[in-house]
CSV table of all heavy atoms in Angstrom, one decimal:
chain,number,residue,atom,x,y,z
A,1,PRO,N,-0.1,4.7,15.4
A,1,PRO,CA,-1.1,3.8,15.9
A,1,PRO,C,-1.3,2.6,14.8
A,1,PRO,O,-1.2,2.9,13.6
A,1,PRO,CB,-2.4,4.6,16.1
A,1,PRO,CG,-2.0,6.0,15.9
A,1,PRO,CD,-0.6,6.1,15.3
A,2,VAL,N,-1.7,1.5,15.2
A,2,VAL,CA,-1.9,0.4,14.2
A,2,VAL,C,-3.4,0.6,13.7
A,2,VAL,O,-4.3,0.8,14.4
A,2,VAL,CB,-1.9,-1.0,15.0
A,2,VAL,CG1,-2.2,-2.2,14.2
A,2,VAL,CG2,-0.4,-1.2,15.6
A,3,GLU,N,-3.4,0.4,12.4
A,3,GLU,CA,-4.8,0.5,11.7
A,3,GLU,C,-5.6,-0.8,12.0
A,3,GLU,O,-5.0,-1.8,12.1
A,3,GLU,CB,-4.5,0.7,10.2
A,3,GLU,CG,-3.8,2.0,9.8
A,3,GLU,CD,-2.3,1.8,9.9
A,3,GLU,OE1,-1.8,0.8,10.2
A,3,GLU,OE2,-1.7,2.8,9.6
A,4,THR,N,-6.8,-0.7,12.0
A,4,THR,CA,-7.7,-1.9,12.1
A,4,THR,C,-8.6,-2.0,10.9
A,4,THR,O,-8.9,-0.9,10.3
A,4,THR,CB,-8.5,-1.9,13.5
A,4,THR,OG1,-9.2,-0.7,13.4
A,4,THR,CG2,-7.7,-1.9,14.7
A,5,LEU,N,-9.0,-3.1,10.5
A,5,LEU,CA,-10.0,-3.3,9.5
A,5,LEU,C,-11.3,-3.9,10.0
A,5,LEU,O,-11.3,-4.8,10.7
A,5,LEU,CB,-9.4,-4.3,8.4
A,5,LEU,CG,-8.1,-3.9,7.8
A,5,LEU,CD1,-7.4,-5.0,6.9
A,5,LEU,CD2,-8.2,-2.6,7.0
A,6,ALA,N,-12.3,-3.2,9.6
A,6,ALA,CA,-13.6,-3.7,10.1
A,6,ALA,C,-14.1,-4.9,9.1
A,6,ALA,O,-14.0,-4.7,7.9
A,6,ALA,CB,-14.7,-2.6,10.0
A,7,ALA,N,-14.6,-5.9,9.7
A,7,ALA,CA,-15.1,-7.0,8.8
A,7,ALA,C,-16.6,-7.0,8.7
A,7,ALA,O,-17.3,-6.6,9.6
A,7,ALA,CB,-14.6,-8.3,9.5
A,8,SER,N,-17.1,-7.4,7.6
A,8,SER,CA,-18.5,-7.6,7.3
A,8,SER,C,-19.0,-8.8,8.0
A,8,SER,O,-18.3,-9.8,8.2
A,8,SER,CB,-18.8,-7.7,5.8
A,8,SER,OG,-18.3,-6.6,5.2
A,9,PRO,N,-20.3,-8.8,8.4
A,9,PRO,CA,-20.9,-10.0,9.1
A,9,PRO,C,-20.6,-11.2,8.1
A,9,PRO,O,-20.9,-11.2,6.9
A,9,PRO,CB,-22.4,-9.7,9.2
A,9,PRO,CG,-22.3,-8.2,9.2
A,9,PRO,CD,-21.3,-7.8,8.3
A,10,GLY,N,-20.2,-12.3,8.7
A,10,GLY,CA,-19.9,-13.5,7.9
A,10,GLY,C,-18.5,-13.5,7.2
A,10,GLY,O,-18.2,-14.6,6.6
A,11,ALA,N,-17.9,-12.5,7.1
A,11,ALA,CA,-16.6,-12.5,6.5
A,11,ALA,C,-15.5,-13.1,7.4
A,11,ALA,O,-15.6,-13.3,8.6
A,11,ALA,CB,-16.1,-11.0,6.3
A,12,THR,N,-14.5,-13.7,6.7
A,12,THR,CA,-13.4,-14.3,7.4
A,12,THR,C,-12.4,-13.3,7.8
A,12,THR,O,-12.3,-12.2,7.1
A,12,THR,CB,-12.7,-15.4,6.6
A,12,THR,OG1,-12.3,-14.7,5.3
A,12,THR,CG2,-13.7,-16.5,6.1
A,13,ALA,N,-11.7,-13.6,8.8
A,13,ALA,CA,-10.6,-12.6,9.3
A,13,ALA,C,-9.4,-12.5,8.2
A,13,ALA,O,-9.2,-13.4,7.5
A,13,ALA,CB,-9.9,-13.2,10.6
A,14,PRO,N,-8.9,-11.3,8.0
A,14,PRO,CA,-7.8,-11.2,7.2
A,14,PRO,C,-6.6,-12.1,7.6
A,14,PRO,O,-6.4,-12.3,8.7
A,14,PRO,CB,-7.4,-9.6,7.3
A,14,PRO,CG,-8.6,-9.1,8.0
A,14,PRO,CD,-9.3,-10.1,8.7
A,15,ALA,N,-5.8,-12.5,6.6
A,15,ALA,CA,-4.6,-13.3,6.9
A,15,ALA,C,-3.6,-12.6,7.6
A,15,ALA,O,-3.4,-11.4,7.6
A,15,ALA,CB,-4.1,-13.8,5.6
A,16,ASP,N,-3.0,-13.3,8.7
A,16,ASP,CA,-1.9,-12.9,9.5
A,16,ASP,C,-1.0,-14.1,9.7
A,16,ASP,O,-1.1,-14.8,10.7
A,16,ASP,CB,-2.4,-12.3,10.8
A,16,ASP,CG,-1.3,-11.9,11.8
A,16,ASP,OD1,-0.1,-11.7,11.2
A,16,ASP,OD2,-1.7,-11.6,12.9
A,17,PHE,N,-0.2,-14.4,8.6
A,17,PHE,CA,0.5,-15.6,8.7
A,17,PHE,C,1.5,-15.8,9.8
A,17,PHE,O,1.7,-16.8,10.3
A,17,PHE,CB,1.3,-15.8,7.3
A,17,PHE,CG,0.5,-16.0,6.1
A,17,PHE,CD1,0.5,-15.1,5.1
A,17,PHE,CD2,-0.3,-17.2,6.0
A,17,PHE,CE1,-0.3,-15.3,4.0
A,17,PHE,CE2,-1.1,-17.4,4.9
A,17,PHE,CZ,-1.1,-16.5,3.9
A,18,ASP,N,2.1,-14.6,10.4
A,18,ASP,CA,3.0,-14.8,11.4
A,18,ASP,C,2.4,-14.7,12.8
A,18,ASP,O,2.9,-14.9,13.8
A,18,ASP,CB,4.2,-13.9,11.3
A,18,ASP,CG,3.9,-12.4,11.2
A,18,ASP,OD1,2.7,-12.1,11.5
A,18,ASP,OD2,4.7,-11.7,11.0
A,19,GLY,N,1.1,-14.2,12.9
A,19,GLY,CA,0.3,-14.1,14.0
A,19,GLY,C,0.8,-13.0,15.0
A,19,GLY,O,0.5,-13.0,16.2
A,20,ASP,N,1.3,-12.0,14.4
A,20,ASP,CA,1.8,-10.9,15.3
A,20,ASP,C,0.8,-9.8,15.5
A,20,ASP,O,1.1,-8.8,16.2
A,20,ASP,CB,3.1,-10.3,14.7
A,20,ASP,CG,2.9,-9.5,13.4
A,20,ASP,OD1,1.8,-9.7,12.9
A,20,ASP,OD2,3.9,-9.0,12.8
A,21,GLY,N,-0.4,-9.9,14.9
A,21,GLY,CA,-1.4,-8.9,15.2
A,21,GLY,C,-1.5,-8.0,14.0
A,21,GLY,O,-2.5,-7.2,14.0
A,22,LEU,N,-0.7,-8.1,13.1
A,22,LEU,CA,-0.7,-7.2,11.8
A,22,LEU,C,-1.2,-8.1,10.7
A,22,LEU,O,-0.6,-9.2,10.5
A,22,LEU,CB,0.5,-6.6,11.4
A,22,LEU,CG,1.1,-5.5,12.3
A,22,LEU,CD1,2.5,-5.0,11.6
A,22,LEU,CD2,0.2,-4.3,12.3
A,23,THR,N,-2.2,-7.8,10.0
A,23,THR,CA,-2.7,-8.5,8.8
A,23,THR,C,-1.4,-8.5,7.8
A,23,THR,O,-0.6,-7.5,7.8
A,23,THR,CB,-3.9,-8.0,8.2
A,23,THR,OG1,-3.6,-6.7,7.6
A,23,THR,CG2,-5.0,-7.9,9.2
A,24,ASP,N,-1.5,-9.4,6.9
A,24,ASP,CA,-0.5,-9.5,5.8
A,24,ASP,C,-0.6,-8.2,4.9
A,24,ASP,O,0.5,-7.8,4.5
A,24,ASP,CB,-0.7,-10.7,5.0
A,24,ASP,CG,-0.3,-11.9,5.8
A,24,ASP,OD1,0.3,-11.9,6.8
A,24,ASP,OD2,-0.8,-13.0,5.5
A,25,VAL,N,-1.8,-7.6,4.8
A,25,VAL,CA,-1.9,-6.4,4.1
A,25,VAL,C,-1.2,-5.3,4.7
A,25,VAL,O,-0.4,-4.5,4.2
A,25,VAL,CB,-3.4,-6.1,3.8
A,25,VAL,CG1,-3.6,-4.7,3.2
A,25,VAL,CG2,-4.1,-7.1,2.9
A,26,LEU,N,-1.4,-5.2,6.2
A,26,LEU,CA,-0.7,-4.1,6.8
A,26,LEU,C,0.8,-4.4,6.8
A,26,LEU,O,1.6,-3.4,6.9
A,26,LEU,CB,-1.3,-4.0,8.2
A,26,LEU,CG,-2.7,-3.5,8.3
A,26,LEU,CD1,-3.2,-3.3,9.7
A,26,LEU,CD2,-2.7,-2.0,7.7
A,27,GLU,N,1.2,-5.7,6.8
A,27,GLU,CA,2.7,-5.9,6.8
A,27,GLU,C,3.3,-5.4,5.5
A,27,GLU,O,4.3,-4.8,5.5
A,27,GLU,CB,2.9,-7.4,6.9
A,27,GLU,CG,2.5,-8.1,8.1
A,27,GLU,CD,3.5,-8.4,9.1
A,27,GLU,OE1,4.6,-7.9,9.1
A,27,GLU,OE2,3.3,-9.1,10.1
A,28,ALA,N,2.5,-5.5,4.4
A,28,ALA,CA,3.0,-5.0,3.1
A,28,ALA,C,3.1,-3.5,3.1
A,28,ALA,O,3.9,-2.8,2.7
A,28,ALA,CB,2.1,-5.5,2.0
A,29,VAL,N,2.1,-2.8,3.8
A,29,VAL,CA,1.9,-1.4,3.9
A,29,VAL,C,3.2,-0.8,4.7
A,29,VAL,O,3.8,0.2,4.4
A,29,VAL,CB,0.7,-1.0,4.5
A,29,VAL,CG1,0.7,0.5,4.9
A,29,VAL,CG2,-0.5,-1.1,3.6
A,30,HIS,N,3.5,-1.5,5.7
A,30,HIS,CA,4.6,-1.1,6.6
A,30,HIS,C,5.9,-1.6,6.3
A,30,HIS,O,7.0,-1.3,6.9
A,30,HIS,CB,4.3,-1.3,8.1
A,30,HIS,CG,3.1,-0.6,8.6
A,30,HIS,ND1,3.1,0.7,8.9
A,30,HIS,CD2,1.8,-1.0,8.8
A,30,HIS,CE1,2.0,1.2,9.2
A,30,HIS,NE2,1.2,0.1,9.2
A,31,GLY,N,6.0,-2.5,5.3
A,31,GLY,CA,7.3,-3.1,4.8
A,31,GLY,C,7.8,-4.1,5.7
A,31,GLY,O,9.1,-4.4,5.7
A,32,THR,N,7.0,-4.7,6.5
A,32,THR,CA,7.5,-5.7,7.4
A,32,THR,C,7.4,-7.1,6.8
A,32,THR,O,6.7,-7.3,5.8
A,32,THR,CB,6.8,-5.6,8.8
A,32,THR,OG1,5.3,-5.7,8.6
A,32,THR,CG2,7.1,-4.3,9.6
A,33,ASP,N,7.9,-8.0,7.5
A,33,ASP,CA,8.0,-9.5,7.0
A,33,ASP,C,6.7,-10.2,7.6
A,33,ASP,O,6.6,-10.4,8.7
A,33,ASP,CB,9.2,-10.1,7.5
A,33,ASP,CG,9.3,-11.6,7.0
A,33,ASP,OD1,8.4,-12.2,6.5
A,33,ASP,OD2,10.4,-12.2,7.3
A,34,PRO,N,5.8,-10.6,6.7
A,34,PRO,CA,4.6,-11.3,7.0
A,34,PRO,C,4.8,-12.7,7.7
A,34,PRO,O,3.9,-13.4,8.2
A,34,PRO,CB,3.8,-11.3,5.8
A,34,PRO,CG,4.7,-11.3,4.6
A,34,PRO,CD,5.9,-10.5,5.2
A,35,TRP,N,6.0,-13.2,7.5
A,35,TRP,CA,6.4,-14.6,8.1
A,35,TRP,C,7.2,-14.5,9.3
A,35,TRP,O,7.6,-15.4,9.8
A,35,TRP,CB,7.1,-15.4,7.0
A,35,TRP,CG,6.2,-15.6,5.8
A,35,TRP,CD1,6.3,-14.9,4.6
A,35,TRP,CD2,5.1,-16.5,5.6
A,35,TRP,NE1,5.3,-15.4,3.7
A,35,TRP,CE2,4.6,-16.3,4.4
A,35,TRP,CE3,4.7,-17.5,6.5
A,35,TRP,CZ2,3.5,-17.2,3.9
A,35,TRP,CZ3,3.6,-18.2,6.0
A,35,TRP,CH2,3.0,-18.1,4.8
A,36,ASN,N,7.4,-13.3,9.9
A,36,ASN,CA,8.2,-13.1,11.0
A,36,ASN,C,7.6,-12.1,12.0
A,36,ASN,O,7.3,-10.9,11.7
A,36,ASN,CB,9.6,-12.5,10.6
A,36,ASN,CG,10.7,-12.4,11.7
A,36,ASN,OD1,10.4,-12.6,12.8
A,36,ASN,ND2,11.9,-12.2,11.3
A,37,VAL,N,7.3,-12.6,13.2
A,37,VAL,CA,6.6,-11.7,14.2
A,37,VAL,C,7.5,-10.4,14.6
A,37,VAL,O,6.9,-9.4,15.0
A,37,VAL,CB,6.2,-12.4,15.5
A,37,VAL,CG1,5.3,-13.5,15.1
A,37,VAL,CG2,7.4,-12.9,16.2
A,38,ASP,N,8.8,-10.5,14.4
A,38,ASP,CA,9.7,-9.4,14.7
A,38,ASP,C,10.6,-9.2,13.6
A,38,ASP,O,11.8,-9.7,13.6
A,38,ASP,CB,10.5,-9.9,16.1
A,38,ASP,CG,11.5,-8.8,16.4
A,38,ASP,OD1,11.4,-7.6,16.0
A,38,ASP,OD2,12.3,-9.1,17.3
A,39,SER,N,10.2,-8.4,12.6
A,39,SER,CA,10.9,-8.2,11.3
A,39,SER,C,12.4,-7.7,11.5
A,39,SER,O,13.2,-8.0,10.8
A,39,SER,CB,10.1,-7.2,10.4
A,39,SER,OG,8.9,-7.8,10.1
A,40,ASP,N,12.6,-6.8,12.5
A,40,ASP,CA,14.0,-6.3,12.7
A,40,ASP,C,14.7,-7.0,13.8
A,40,ASP,O,15.9,-6.7,13.9
A,40,ASP,CB,13.9,-4.7,13.0
A,40,ASP,CG,13.1,-4.4,14.3
A,40,ASP,OD1,12.7,-5.4,15.1
A,40,ASP,OD2,12.9,-3.2,14.5
A,41,GLY,N,14.1,-8.0,14.4
A,41,GLY,CA,14.9,-8.8,15.4
A,41,GLY,C,15.3,-8.1,16.6
A,41,GLY,O,16.2,-8.5,17.3
A,42,ASP,N,14.6,-7.1,17.1
A,42,ASP,CA,14.9,-6.4,18.2
A,42,ASP,C,14.2,-6.9,19.5
A,42,ASP,O,14.4,-6.4,20.6
A,42,ASP,CB,14.7,-4.9,18.1
A,42,ASP,CG,13.2,-4.5,18.0
A,42,ASP,OD1,12.4,-5.4,17.9
A,42,ASP,OD2,12.9,-3.3,17.8
A,43,GLY,N,13.4,-8.0,19.4
A,43,GLY,CA,12.8,-8.5,20.5
A,43,GLY,C,11.3,-8.0,20.8
A,43,GLY,O,10.6,-8.5,21.6
A,44,ALA,N,10.9,-7.0,19.9
A,44,ALA,CA,9.4,-6.5,20.1
A,44,ALA,C,8.8,-6.8,18.8
A,44,ALA,O,9.2,-6.7,17.7
A,44,ALA,CB,9.5,-5.0,20.3
A,45,TRP,N,7.5,-7.5,19.0
A,45,TRP,CA,6.7,-7.8,17.9
A,45,TRP,C,6.4,-6.6,17.0
A,45,TRP,O,6.2,-5.4,17.6
A,45,TRP,CB,5.4,-8.5,18.3
A,45,TRP,CG,5.6,-9.9,18.9
A,45,TRP,CD1,6.9,-10.5,19.2
A,45,TRP,CD2,4.7,-10.9,19.0
A,45,TRP,NE1,6.7,-11.8,19.6
A,45,TRP,CE2,5.3,-12.1,19.5
A,45,TRP,CE3,3.3,-11.0,18.7
A,45,TRP,CZ2,4.7,-13.2,19.7
A,45,TRP,CZ3,2.7,-12.2,18.9
A,45,TRP,CH2,3.4,-13.3,19.4
A,46,ASP,N,6.2,-6.8,15.7
A,46,ASP,CA,5.8,-5.7,14.8
A,46,ASP,C,4.7,-4.9,15.2
A,46,ASP,O,4.7,-3.7,15.2
A,46,ASP,CB,5.7,-6.2,13.3
A,46,ASP,CG,6.9,-6.9,12.8
A,46,ASP,OD1,8.0,-6.7,13.3
A,46,ASP,OD2,6.8,-7.7,11.8
A,47,ALA,N,3.5,-5.5,15.5
A,47,ALA,CA,2.3,-4.8,15.8
A,47,ALA,C,2.5,-3.9,17.1
A,47,ALA,O,2.1,-2.8,17.2
A,47,ALA,CB,1.2,-5.7,16.1
A,48,LEU,N,3.3,-4.5,18.1
A,48,LEU,CA,3.7,-3.7,19.3
A,48,LEU,C,4.4,-2.5,19.0
A,48,LEU,O,4.2,-1.5,19.4
A,48,LEU,CB,4.4,-4.6,20.3
A,48,LEU,CG,4.8,-4.0,21.6
A,48,LEU,CD1,3.6,-3.6,22.4
A,48,LEU,CD2,5.7,-4.9,22.4
A,49,GLU,N,5.4,-2.7,18.1
A,49,GLU,CA,6.3,-1.5,17.7
A,49,GLU,C,5.5,-0.5,17.1
A,49,GLU,O,5.7,0.7,17.4
A,49,GLU,CB,7.4,-1.9,16.8
A,49,GLU,CG,8.5,-2.8,17.5
A,49,GLU,CD,9.8,-2.7,16.8
A,49,GLU,OE1,10.4,-1.6,16.7
A,49,GLU,OE2,10.3,-3.8,16.5
A,50,LEU,N,4.6,-0.8,16.2
A,50,LEU,CA,3.7,0.2,15.6
A,50,LEU,C,2.8,0.9,16.5
A,50,LEU,O,2.6,2.1,16.6
A,50,LEU,CB,3.0,-0.5,14.4
A,50,LEU,CG,3.7,-0.8,13.2
A,50,LEU,CD1,2.9,-1.6,12.2
A,50,LEU,CD2,4.3,0.5,12.5
A,51,ALA,N,2.2,0.1,17.4
A,51,ALA,CA,1.3,0.7,18.5
A,51,ALA,C,2.1,1.7,19.3
A,51,ALA,O,1.4,2.6,19.8
A,51,ALA,CB,0.7,-0.5,19.3
A,52,LEU,N,3.2,1.4,19.6
A,52,LEU,CA,4.1,2.3,20.5
A,52,LEU,C,4.9,3.3,19.8
A,52,LEU,O,5.9,3.8,20.3
A,52,LEU,CB,5.1,1.4,21.4
A,52,LEU,CG,4.2,0.5,22.3
A,52,LEU,CD1,5.2,-0.4,23.2
A,52,LEU,CD2,3.4,1.4,23.3
A,53,GLU,N,4.6,3.5,18.5
A,53,GLU,CA,5.3,4.4,17.5
A,53,GLU,C,6.7,4.2,17.5
A,53,GLU,O,7.6,5.1,17.4
A,53,GLU,CB,4.9,5.8,17.9
A,53,GLU,CG,3.5,6.1,17.8
A,53,GLU,CD,3.2,7.5,18.2
A,53,GLU,OE1,4.0,8.4,18.5
A,53,GLU,OE2,1.8,7.7,18.2
A,54,SER,N,7.3,2.9,17.3
A,54,SER,CA,8.6,2.4,17.2
A,54,SER,C,8.5,2.0,15.7
A,54,SER,O,7.5,1.5,15.1
A,54,SER,CB,9.0,1.4,18.1
A,54,SER,OG,10.3,0.9,17.9
A,55,ASP,N,9.7,1.9,15.0
A,55,ASP,CA,9.9,1.5,13.7
A,55,ASP,C,10.2,-0.1,13.8
A,55,ASP,O,11.2,-0.5,14.1
A,55,ASP,CB,11.1,2.1,13.0
A,55,ASP,CG,11.3,1.8,11.6
A,55,ASP,OD1,10.6,0.8,11.1
A,55,ASP,OD2,12.0,2.4,10.9
A,56,PRO,N,9.3,-0.9,13.2
A,56,PRO,CA,9.4,-2.4,13.2
A,56,PRO,C,10.4,-2.8,12.2
A,56,PRO,O,10.8,-4.0,12.1
A,56,PRO,CB,8.0,-2.9,12.9
A,56,PRO,CG,7.4,-1.8,12.1
A,56,PRO,CD,7.9,-0.5,12.6
A,57,ASN,N,11.1,-1.8,11.5
A,57,ASN,CA,12.1,-2.3,10.5
A,57,ASN,C,13.6,-1.8,10.9
A,57,ASN,O,14.5,-1.8,10.2
A,57,ASN,CB,11.8,-1.7,9.2
A,57,ASN,CG,10.5,-2.3,8.5
A,57,ASN,OD1,10.5,-3.6,8.4
A,57,ASN,ND2,9.5,-1.6,8.2
A,58,ASP,N,13.6,-1.2,12.1
A,58,ASP,CA,14.9,-0.6,12.6
A,58,ASP,C,15.3,-1.2,13.9
A,58,ASP,O,14.6,-1.0,15.0
A,58,ASP,CB,14.7,0.9,12.8
A,58,ASP,CG,16.0,1.6,13.3
A,58,ASP,OD1,17.0,0.8,13.6
A,58,ASP,OD2,16.0,2.8,13.3
A,59,VAL,N,16.3,-2.0,14.0
A,59,VAL,CA,16.7,-2.9,15.1
A,59,VAL,C,17.1,-1.8,16.2
A,59,VAL,O,17.0,-2.2,17.5
A,59,VAL,CB,17.7,-3.9,14.8
A,59,VAL,CG1,19.1,-3.1,14.4
A,59,VAL,CG2,18.0,-4.8,16.0
A,60,ASN,N,17.5,-0.7,15.9
A,60,ASN,CA,17.9,0.3,16.9
A,60,ASN,C,16.8,1.2,17.5
A,60,ASN,O,16.9,1.9,18.5
A,60,ASN,CB,19.0,1.2,16.4
A,60,ASN,CG,20.2,0.5,16.0
A,60,ASN,OD1,20.8,-0.3,16.8
A,60,ASN,ND2,20.7,0.7,14.8
A,61,ASP,N,15.5,0.9,16.9
A,61,ASP,CA,14.5,1.7,17.5
A,61,ASP,C,13.5,0.8,18.2
A,61,ASP,O,12.6,0.2,17.7
A,61,ASP,CB,13.6,2.3,16.2
A,61,ASP,CG,12.5,3.2,16.7
A,61,ASP,OD1,12.4,3.6,17.9
A,61,ASP,OD2,11.7,3.7,15.8
A,62,VAL,N,13.8,0.6,19.5
A,62,VAL,CA,13.1,-0.3,20.4
A,62,VAL,C,12.0,0.4,21.2
A,62,VAL,O,12.4,1.5,21.6
A,62,VAL,CB,14.1,-1.0,21.3
A,62,VAL,CG1,13.4,-2.1,22.2
A,62,VAL,CG2,15.1,-1.8,20.5
A,63,PRO,N,10.9,-0.1,21.3
A,63,PRO,CA,9.8,0.5,22.1
A,63,PRO,C,10.3,0.8,23.6
A,63,PRO,O,11.0,0.0,24.1
A,63,PRO,CB,8.6,-0.4,22.2
A,63,PRO,CG,8.9,-1.3,21.0
A,63,PRO,CD,10.3,-1.4,20.8
A,64,ASP,N,9.9,1.9,24.1
A,64,ASP,CA,10.4,2.4,25.5
A,64,ASP,C,9.7,1.6,26.5
A,64,ASP,O,10.0,1.7,27.7
A,64,ASP,CB,10.1,3.8,25.7
A,64,ASP,CG,11.0,4.7,24.8
A,64,ASP,OD1,12.1,4.3,24.5
A,64,ASP,OD2,10.5,5.8,24.4
A,65,SER,N,8.5,0.9,26.2
A,65,SER,CA,7.7,0.3,27.3
A,65,SER,C,8.4,-0.9,28.0
A,65,SER,O,8.0,-1.3,29.1
A,65,SER,CB,6.4,-0.3,26.6
A,65,SER,OG,6.7,-1.5,25.9
A,66,GLY,N,9.4,-1.5,27.4
A,66,GLY,CA,10.1,-2.6,27.9
A,66,GLY,C,9.3,-3.9,27.7
A,66,GLY,O,9.6,-5.0,28.1
A,67,ALA,N,8.1,-3.8,26.9
A,67,ALA,CA,7.3,-5.0,26.7
A,67,ALA,C,7.8,-5.6,25.5
A,67,ALA,O,7.3,-5.3,24.4
A,67,ALA,CB,5.8,-4.5,26.6
A,68,HIS,N,8.6,-6.5,25.6
A,68,HIS,CA,9.2,-7.2,24.4
A,68,HIS,C,8.7,-8.6,24.2
A,68,HIS,O,8.2,-9.3,25.2
A,68,HIS,CB,10.8,-7.4,24.5
A,68,HIS,CG,11.4,-6.1,24.5
A,68,HIS,ND1,11.9,-5.5,23.4
A,68,HIS,CD2,11.7,-5.2,25.4
A,68,HIS,CE1,12.4,-4.3,23.7
A,68,HIS,NE2,12.3,-4.1,25.0
A,69,ALA,N,8.5,-9.0,22.9
A,69,ALA,CA,7.9,-10.4,22.6
A,69,ALA,C,6.7,-10.7,23.3
A,69,ALA,O,6.5,-11.8,23.8
A,69,ALA,CB,9.0,-11.4,22.8
A,70,VAL,N,5.8,-9.8,23.3
A,70,VAL,CA,4.6,-10.0,24.0
A,70,VAL,C,3.5,-10.3,22.9
A,70,VAL,O,3.3,-9.7,21.9
A,70,VAL,CB,4.1,-8.7,24.8
A,70,VAL,CG1,2.7,-8.8,25.3
A,70,VAL,CG2,5.1,-8.3,25.8
A,71,ALA,N,2.7,-11.4,23.1
A,71,ALA,CA,1.7,-11.8,22.3
A,71,ALA,C,0.5,-10.8,22.4
A,71,ALA,O,0.1,-10.4,23.5
A,71,ALA,CB,1.2,-13.2,22.6
A,72,LEU,N,0.0,-10.3,21.3
A,72,LEU,CA,-1.2,-9.5,21.4
A,72,LEU,C,-2.4,-10.3,21.2
A,72,LEU,O,-2.7,-10.9,20.1
A,72,LEU,CB,-1.1,-8.4,20.2
A,72,LEU,CG,0.2,-7.5,20.3
A,72,LEU,CD1,0.2,-6.6,19.1
A,72,LEU,CD2,0.1,-6.7,21.5
A,73,VAL,N,-3.2,-10.4,22.1
A,73,VAL,CA,-4.4,-11.2,22.1
A,73,VAL,C,-5.6,-10.3,22.4
A,73,VAL,O,-5.6,-9.2,22.9
A,73,VAL,CB,-4.4,-12.4,23.1
A,73,VAL,CG1,-3.5,-13.5,22.6
A,73,VAL,CG2,-4.0,-11.9,24.4
């Protein structure tokens, strides 16, 4: 599952340079590329892969959902 960070009132949102739903801190924790929504190039965004228990660093480990390149909003 994807970890979430609780923000204090008045705090700014953690940086997410690529906009894939993972903060840059979580990108570092998981070894993914903070400038690329799909670090392994398999068509599924990094946050989606982690949510579906797929490896966002392994092009051969694609989520079973069939939900590729979906924006998490």
Side-chain angles (χ1 to χ4, degrees):
V2 176
E3 298 87 356
T4 58
L5 301 174
S8 301
T12 58
D16 178 10
F17 290 118
D18 59 10
D20 65 357
L22 288 180
T23 65
D24 296 337
V25 170
L26 290 176
E27 297 259 17
V29 167
H30 293 287
T32 54
D33 182 351
W35 297 100
N36 185 347
V37 297
D38 180 14
S39 295
D40 59 9
D42 65 0
W45 286 21
D46 296 341
L48 177 65
E49 290 205 57
L50 288 170
L52 297 176
E53 299 182 2
S54 176
D55 184 349
N57 295 303
D58 182 353
V59 70
N60 295 310
D61 188 8
V62 180
D64 294 330
S65 75
H68 294 270
V70 175
L72 300 176
V73 285

